[in-house]
Amino acid sequence: MTISSMRLLRAAISLLFILKLSISLPLLAQGPPSPPLDPVSGGGPVGGSAPVGSGIDLLLLMGAAYGSRKLYLAWQKKEE
């Protein structure tokens, strides 16, 4: 890596860190959500309404992308 590309990478990481902080800090100032209704009386589901399926799909997709990138880089290195 050259010095200019390292500076560019450092600037990009710094920008992403500042952006993440500016988005996440206001969320910490919000109050807690109201307590769920009693699931025994039919007020709501036991696990709440968390979309667990979407999170698992995203995790699997990111894992597949990471693995395919590692394979691609290993294949590129093997050709050299």
Side-chain angles (χ1 to χ4, degrees):
M1 275 186 137
T2 64
I3 301 240
S4 62
S5 65
M6 288 175 59
R7 286 183 182 162
L8 182 63
L9 181 63
R10 185 175 172 189
I13 290 173
S14 297
L15 181 66
L16 287 174
F17 182 72
I18 291 170
L19 183 65
K20 180 188 179 303
L21 281 178
S22 67
I23 291 173
S24 64
L25 285 179
L27 296 176
L28 296 175
Q30 296 178 354
S34 60
L37 300 173
D38 187 20
V40 176
S41 64
V46 174
S49 60
V52 175
S54 298
I56 292 174
D57 292 343
L58 183 62
L59 181 66
L60 290 174
L61 179 67
M62 290 174 69
Y66 177 73
S68 61
R69 169 118 173 113
K70 294 289 271 188
L71 284 174
Y72 175 75
L73 290 176
W75 177 69
Q76 287 288 329
K77 194 173 188 179
K78 185 179 176 183
E79 282 187 351
E80 289 179 1

